Amino acid sequence: MSVPPTVPDPSSLPAAPPPTPRQALYALGLATATVLALVVLGHDGRRVAQLMALALPALLWLAWPVRSDAVHRLRTAAVWLWAMAFALDGAARAYLLNAYQAAPDSALVLSAAANTTGRESAEYLSMHWRSVAVWCGALACAGLLVGRSARRGLRTSARWPRWSIALLCGLLLLSALGYASKPWRRLHPVAYWLHWNASVNGLRSGWSDLEKQRSAALERARVAAPALTRTGPSTVVLVVTDSINRDNMGLYGYARPTTPRLQAQQQLLGTEMAVLRNAWSVDASTLPAMGNLFGFGQPGRADGQHLIALARAAGYKTWWMSNHDDVAIEQQHARMADVVDMVNRTPGRSGASLDGELLDCVQEALEDPAERKLIVVHLMGAHPHYRLRFPSGDNPFEDHADAVDAQLTGQGRSAWVRRYRQQYDAALLYNDFVVAETLQLARNAGRTDGYRAWMYLSDHGQEVGHGSDRAGHSPSTASGYRIPALIWRNEAAQPVSAAMQLRPFRADWAAWTLADLLHIDWAGALPERNVLDDRYRWVAPTLPVAVPSFFD
Ligand SMILES: [Zn+2]
């Protein structure tokens, strides 16, 4: 949020005659209406009434005769600050509701706030400044209206009709009730946002050392005693990318040639490679998506398994190499591996470190003499800001009037969304290079005897003018969940069939498929969640957005 307008200084204004009781009442009404307008946008139902009851005492002060200039000035400032706290609260909630269908204390918003650096916030603002500006504009107007009203509080005593005194007492009683009730007074913006800030800090410090949880997960995996169903050397490469929507991949039928290299690999590999046509994430942001992916769709369960811990317990040497510098991911997942390589030293996702920087690490890991290897590669993919995700100046789609651009124009998408789409597609083209290179390496680098497998998927999708005139993470549109998922194996029980590729796939079940790629069997295995297994049984996930069909 922007800096709110400064408190108007009444001393700098020309001396005006003190307001008449009618004018003071009018000012009180205007201030109340302004606060109400923003409270209604950010809250609903009973909450609106509760918030207004909490806001009332300061507003009603305007109907109290204040003769002293000093007290009057104090009242003006106090009423303004008080009213603006409610207005700011309403605007912030309305913004989050509008952009993410989420409350400030939802896991989505709390974890994003805890996991965001100053630089990332600046980057976020540079991308979303339009809608932020609209809300700041609304707040500035509210600030002016409330400031004007606050200066017009009653200065001389007046005789109020009996009914209005009764009404006043009734309102004050209601407000007193609100302040007496703990859950109610917690809604006061100051109390609420202080508590919010404490939750964010608590979350962040909870991530600072998850050593204990990690050892517990490794111990659980050891107790589960996973067995290998195949002997001999085995290498599995898992490439998890960020914010890639399959609708923008040529491989999935997109009109712009964004995946020439993966398509060439597909041609070459034929039925060794599965392109899962109907792949879905069940989360629209990184942290929960990664939790589900590595936690078998049940992260945080006391008896739950972690894929890397399970692989280690089964005798795999594990690597985690990443172009993210993300403390939560590092603590929850990366440090579970034997070898951790974080190439990006810029905290957050503002860094311009390109994913290609990881390729040397992938090669090095593949050349490691270990018999069984699980190599996890965590890419930045097309995470905003899109223009940081490909080599500078390397955008073949820039200012290119093609069919995609014409379609977006036809759908009424703004020029800035269309420009983001061009950058996004350039990021996908670069991602294609990196991902195809990891596949190439998985096939050919290091020891080439024995079994090798490679899987590629995105943590979640991205909205870039697909379903709405917006760009970014999108819990509220299907585009936020549409991901690619590809699997290659140099030897499989049976070749990939067309029917298998059409099976809908959910990323929170991916660990069951990966356990199969690793040839790990244990008591908790669920073949009905492994998309490669004939016993696979699809169950549609419940997403925050209605999806007409998961088969598309
Ligand atoms: Zn992500």
Side-chain angles (χ1 to χ4, degrees):
M1 285 299 129
S2 79
V3 179
T6 46
V7 183
D9 177 7
S11 60
S12 66
L13 298 161
T20 62
R22 181 187 285 269
Q23 286 171 326
L25 264 190
Y26 172 75
L28 167 60
L30 184 64
T32 309
T34 309
V35 171
L36 178 65
L38 283 157
V39 166
V40 163
L41 289 173
H43 299 264
D44 51 22
R46 207 163 56 117
R47 279 287 190 88
V48 174
Q50 289 178 311
L51 263 287
M52 289 313 288
L54 293 174
L56 266 180
L59 294 169
L60 289 178
W61 193 6
L62 295 176
W64 187 266
V66 165
R67 286 175 212 283
S68 145
D69 281 345
V71 178
H72 171 60
R73 273 198 291 273
L74 177 74
R75 175 175 69 178
T76 302
V79 168
W80 189 86
L81 284 171
W82 182 275
M84 289 313 290
F86 284 83
L88 189 59
D89 169 73
R93 286 167 179 275
Y95 174 78
L96 292 171
L97 220 55
N98 186 30
Y100 303 105
Q101 257 94 69
D105 51 358
S106 62
L108 175 94
V109 175
L110 283 177
S111 60
N115 211 13
T116 296
T117 60
R119 258 185 79 170
E120 263 189 305
S121 313
E123 174 200 300
Y124 178 88
L125 279 181
S126 81
M127 185 150 178
H128 297 275
W129 63 268
R130 289 170 191 83
S131 45
V132 173
V134 168
W135 288 105
C136 288
L139 270 178
C141 291
L144 284 174
L145 284 173
V146 172
R148 237 182 99 88
S149 310
R151 280 198 303 269
R152 310 284 289 163
L154 195 62
R155 302 297 305 272
T156 52
S157 44
R159 289 189 66 83
W160 301 109
R162 277 231 176 108
W163 66 265
S164 66
I165 292 170
L167 179 70
L168 196 77
C169 291
L171 288 174
L172 282 174
L173 186 69
L174 185 71
S175 187
L177 277 178
Y179 280 96
S181 147
K182 199 173 174 189
W184 192 339
R185 70 170 176 262
R186 272 202 197 129
L187 296 174
H188 190 289
V190 174
Y192 181 86
W193 289 98
L194 282 177
H195 181 254
W196 182 86
N197 193 45
S199 308
V200 168
N201 286 333
L203 206 53
R204 195 180 288 142
S205 63
W207 289 331
S208 64
D209 189 14
L210 295 181
E211 175 85 53
K212 267 206 195 96
Q213 275 99 314
R214 288 196 301 270
S215 357
L218 288 167
E219 179 58 20
R220 275 199 302 280
R222 203 188 53 77
V223 170
L228 289 169
T229 57
R230 184 192 178 286
T231 52
S234 168
T235 300
V236 177
V237 178
L238 167 63
V239 182
V240 183
T241 192
D242 202 308
S243 304
I244 301 279
N245 181 335
R246 64 177 138 90
D247 292 344
N248 290 59
M249 296 174 72
L251 185 64
Y252 280 84
Y254 187 50
R256 282 181 184 155
T258 49
T259 53
R261 289 166 196 259
L262 280 174
Q263 281 167 277
Q265 294 277 343
Q266 186 197 26
Q267 285 283 316
L268 187 75
L269 298 170
T271 56
E272 280 185 10
M273 184 166 156
V275 179
L276 301 175
R277 294 277 150 201
N278 306 305
W280 296 84
S281 177
V282 304
D283 303 285
S285 59
T286 307
L287 265 190
M290 296 295 273
N292 265 325
L293 174 52
F294 287 94
F296 290 86
Q298 309 156 325
R301 234 179 76 161
D303 59 343
Q305 293 291 351
H306 191 283
L307 181 72
I308 295 178
L310 207 62
R312 276 180 70 169
Y316 274 87
K317 180 172 180 182
T318 55
W319 279 259
W320 184 287
M321 48 195 72
S322 170
N323 191 27
H324 288 251
D325 187 283
D326 181 312
V327 69
I329 300 284
E330 182 171 347
Q331 290 291 330
Q332 290 173 356
H333 308 292
R335 300 240 158 258
M336 204 78 93
D338 300 292
V339 184
V340 182
D341 217 331
M342 315 292 270
V343 301
N344 184 351
R345 292 292 163 216
T346 313
R349 294 169 185 87
S350 315
S353 164
L354 289 169
D355 285 336
E357 307 277 332
L358 281 171
L359 292 170
D360 284 347
C361 302
V362 178
Q363 171 136 20
E364 216 173 288
L366 284 163
E367 283 167 359
D368 187 279
E371 179 92 342
R372 278 178 290 277
K373 292 179 281 194
L374 167 61
I375 301 166
V376 180
V377 186
H378 191 199
L379 303 178
M380 198 77 92
H383 192 285
H385 226 294
Y386 311 140
R387 66 177 162 71
L388 297 178
R389 306 294 165 236
F390 55 89
S392 170
D394 210 358
N395 184 350
F397 309 114
E398 195 167 18
D399 300 326
H400 201 67
D402 59 5
V404 171
D405 202 65
Q407 190 196 3
L408 289 171
T409 310
Q411 290 170 322
R413 301 295 185 243
S414 333
W416 66 273
V417 166
R418 283 183 281 133
R419 199 175 56 247
Y420 274 139
R421 176 67 81 90
Q422 293 164 359
Q423 294 174 358
Y424 184 71
D425 290 342
L428 263 85
L429 182 60
Y430 180 72
N431 184 66
D432 175 64
F433 152 69
V434 176
V435 173
E437 207 60 26
T438 63
L439 174 54
Q440 190 79 268
L441 287 169
R443 289 174 50 221
N444 303 315
R447 59 192 295 174
T448 48
D449 59 325
Y451 164 81
R452 273 159 295 130
W454 169 94
M455 181 168 187
Y456 162 72
L457 76 169
S458 184
D459 58 350
H460 53 77
Q462 190 82 177
E463 171 73 53
V464 197
H466 302 87
S468 69
D469 197 25
R470 287 192 305 115
H473 287 49
S474 184
S476 56
T477 60
S479 308
Y481 304 90
R482 297 171 70 84
I483 55 164
L486 315 179
I487 297 167
W488 167 80
R489 285 170 292 178
N490 70 336
E491 47 183 78
Q494 50 189 338
V496 170
S497 66
M500 181 193 283
Q501 300 188 86
L502 287 175
R503 287 175 187 161
F505 165 83
R506 43 192 286 186
D508 61 331
W509 287 2
W512 308 102
T513 302
L514 282 155
D516 180 34
L517 294 181
L518 292 158
H519 291 112
I520 291 177
D521 193 24
W522 80 108
L526 290 179
E528 65 267 31
R529 293 191 177 180
N530 168 15
V531 73
L532 299 174
D533 197 293
D534 284 336
R535 290 163 287 178
Y536 183 64
R537 267 212 329 269
W538 166 251
V539 179
T542 311
L543 300 184
V545 59
V547 172
S549 168
F550 286 99
F551 295 79
D552 129 57

